[in-house]
Amino acid sequence: MKLRLLAGLSALVAAAGLSACSSSGSDDGGSGGGGRTTIDVWLMRDSVSAAFQTEFVKGFETAHPDIKVRVQIQEWDGIGEKVTAALASNDAPDVIETGNTQVAQFAQSGGLLDLSDKVSDLGGSSWLKGLSEPGSYENKQYGIPYYAANRVVIYRKDLFQKAGVDASKIKTRDQWISATQKLNKGSQQGIYLPGQNWYTLSGFIWDEGGDLATQSGGSWKGALDTPEALHAMEFYKKLQALGKGPKDSDEAQPPQAEVMAKGQVAQVISTPGGANVVVQNNAALEGKLGFFPIPGKTADKPGAVFTGGSDLVIPTVSQHHDAAYTFIKELTGDAWQKKLAVAMSYVPNKTTLAGAVAADPGASAMAVGAAEGHATPNTPGWAAVEAKNPIKDYMTAVLTGKEAASEATKASEAITQAMNSGS
């Protein structure tokens, strides 16, 4: 699943028709005659820059002169329906970029090639779990980790200095609360945290050892009413109170970067790209924003985060499995992953490559958190939860004074019903 500030995403909701795309072509109009194999690749809008795409395709075709790459840029809106239609057709592309948490729904249909036997060859032992785990379905690997992004704390360096707070020393939740209390003075908000930022709550739940839902006997059960999840909500409530964030909306309503740009917010939780939006709305804040990983319960481990990003998959109906795999191996290999991370300020797909973004403050903070990355429950049924999202309603209820345990029970029951409605 993409993150909101990476490409302005939300749920994949609008329907879109399947555009024609041949995966059996070659330069001489067929698959024989000595011509190069042509593979069609669907990449998502804004996932990579045009410059990086051009550089990679040129480099790939030089290294593999027997393969020609034809990239088609797809829109995020409606891509779920479009991919589903492509997988059911005889005219699918050879490689598709998909949101990491979308892989399960596509794999369930049987339309994706099982790449389990390629994991070792691709260096899978070092993959970010937040990309690799949702890329698998029923113990088979269908999605190959492409790139990741996750939330960090964006902070005002000048306000921290004025309050005598050293951001580099904030390693634990207790230290974070203490620092935020010092920053929360008068009209200045220590942190702007909307009441329905459920991805952030999810990180706190994972920190506590809990989860959003658990599976037993083939069915799923909501888990917001567990002691671990309740402890997480208690911490969220404490942190959220150290600012004036609305209790009944998320980070997009109003856009939190625009709120921070007004000058009275010391911190927000966002992908690093949010800093660019802040500066776009207030040029006076250029050079005044810094980043640090979301703190964990203890100093030895950063806080857990939701890992957004993409995986690459190969449709079963593709006629060029070998060439498609060669493409994926190159793009997800160490050399191009380092270049991609630098070009796009992304987290590379392997923990061993985190050093590639050491010179980028935002991306390096992301890379630290990515080591503790998670994804939403790996099942097609999770899409039904996000469609109505009882987690948001639960958070608002607790933040406005309702009893947490009873509200958590209601929300967990709603999650249970949604996840099992199609089973």
Side-chain angles (χ1 to χ4, degrees):
M1 177 179 291
K2 297 286 292 180
L3 292 175
R4 194 182 299 276
L5 284 170
L6 274 177
L9 317 150
S10 56
L12 306 172
V13 291
L18 176 63
S19 62
C21 90
S22 173
S23 62
S24 59
S26 63
D27 280 0
D28 63 0
S31 58
R36 292 190 293 171
T37 297
T38 298
I39 59 171
D40 286 296
V41 178
W42 284 4
L43 296 181
M44 302 310 300
R45 170 111 25 221
D46 297 328
S47 286
V48 298
S49 64
F52 177 85
Q53 178 186 312
T54 299
E55 180 186 5
F56 173 76
V57 171
K58 181 178 179 181
F60 177 85
E61 292 183 342
T62 298
H64 303 279
D66 58 330
I67 304 175
K68 178 179 174 59
V69 177
R70 206 158 50 190
V71 175
Q72 299 177 26
I73 300 300
Q74 305 296 320
E75 304 295 335
W76 281 102
D77 282 349
I79 192 61
E81 292 82 358
K82 189 169 185 178
V83 170
T84 298
L87 297 180
S89 75
N90 292 318
D91 195 28
D94 301 288
V95 177
I96 300 175
E97 174 190 349
T98 181
N100 59 327
T101 61
Q102 300 297 318
V103 175
Q105 75 178 79
F106 301 141
Q108 183 186 40
S109 70
L112 300 183
L113 188 66
D114 179 7
L115 298 171
S116 301
D117 64 338
K118 305 295 187 183
V119 172
S120 178
D121 184 43
L122 295 171
S125 61
S126 299
W127 281 340
L128 296 178
K129 292 182 179 179
L131 292 180
S132 62
E133 290 180 353
S136 67
Y137 180 66
E138 295 185 341
N139 298 315
K140 294 181 180 180
Q141 194 73 37
Y142 296 96
I144 304 305
Y146 180 17
Y147 65 84
N150 49 263
R151 288 164 176 78
V152 300
V153 181
I154 301 176
Y155 73 97
R156 285 277 300 275
K157 292 187 284 188
D158 55 333
L159 299 183
F160 270 54
Q161 184 176 16
K162 184 178 179 181
V165 176
D166 185 349
S168 69
K169 295 183 179 179
I170 301 176
K171 303 297 184 183
T172 69
R173 283 188 189 176
D174 289 343
Q175 292 168 344
W176 193 17
I177 290 291
S178 178
T180 305
Q181 288 171 336
K182 292 180 182 179
L183 292 156
N184 193 43
K185 303 294 183 182
S187 60
Q188 180 176 295
Q189 300 182 55
I191 188 168
Y192 179 84
L193 179 60
Q196 295 184 346
N197 191 331
W198 70 277
Y199 286 121
T200 296
L201 173 63
S202 299
F204 298 156
I205 292 174
W206 293 321
D207 272 341
E208 295 287 349
D211 211 332
L212 300 169
T214 57
Q215 187 179 26
S216 178
S219 62
W220 287 84
K221 183 179 185 298
L224 295 182
D225 53 351
T226 61
E228 294 84 1
L230 288 169
H231 288 154
M233 187 64 220
E234 182 180 354
F235 176 75
Y236 189 101
K237 183 177 182 179
K238 185 176 182 180
L239 183 64
Q240 199 271 340
L242 297 176
K244 301 173 183 177
K247 295 177 171 59
D248 60 351
S249 64
D250 62 20
E251 60 270 35
Q253 300 176 345
Q256 65 176 8
E258 295 180 12
V259 177
M260 191 177 198
K262 294 178 181 178
Q264 297 299 315
V265 172
Q267 304 172 85
V268 294
I269 299 171
S270 169
T271 58
N276 297 329
V277 182
V278 173
V279 173
Q280 287 169 10
N281 282 274
N282 184 353
L285 295 181
E286 178 77 46
K288 294 182 179 180
L289 301 178
F291 312 88
F292 60 86
I294 294 175
K297 291 189 70 176
T298 57
D300 62 324
K301 191 166 67 172
V305 291
F306 169 76
T307 300
S310 290
D311 282 10
L312 297 173
V313 300
I314 300 176
T316 305
V317 296
S318 162
Q319 298 181 35
H320 303 301
H321 290 172
D322 289 345
Y325 175 71
T326 299
F327 177 92
I328 288 178
K329 185 176 181 179
E330 285 277 354
L331 188 52
T332 63
D334 290 6
W336 283 104
Q337 279 291 301
K338 291 176 182 178
K339 292 180 180 181
L340 176 64
V342 172
M344 302 301 297
S345 294
Y346 285 154
V347 178
N349 62 2
K350 298 184 182 75
T351 57
T352 51
L353 301 178
V357 292
D360 185 322
S364 59
M366 274 201 303
V368 172
E372 294 299 322
H374 294 252
T376 49
N378 188 18
T379 171
W382 185 254
V385 177
E386 290 198 28
K388 294 185 178 180
N389 211 327
I391 306 172
K392 287 186 172 185
D393 295 335
Y394 158 65
M395 296 173 73
T396 293
V398 175
L399 294 175
T400 54
K402 293 187 178 180
E403 201 267 326
S406 60
E407 293 299 321
T409 297
K410 289 194 294 185
S412 295
E413 290 173 351
I415 291 173
T416 301
Q417 182 177 2
M419 294 187 79
N420 296 296
S421 60
S423 61

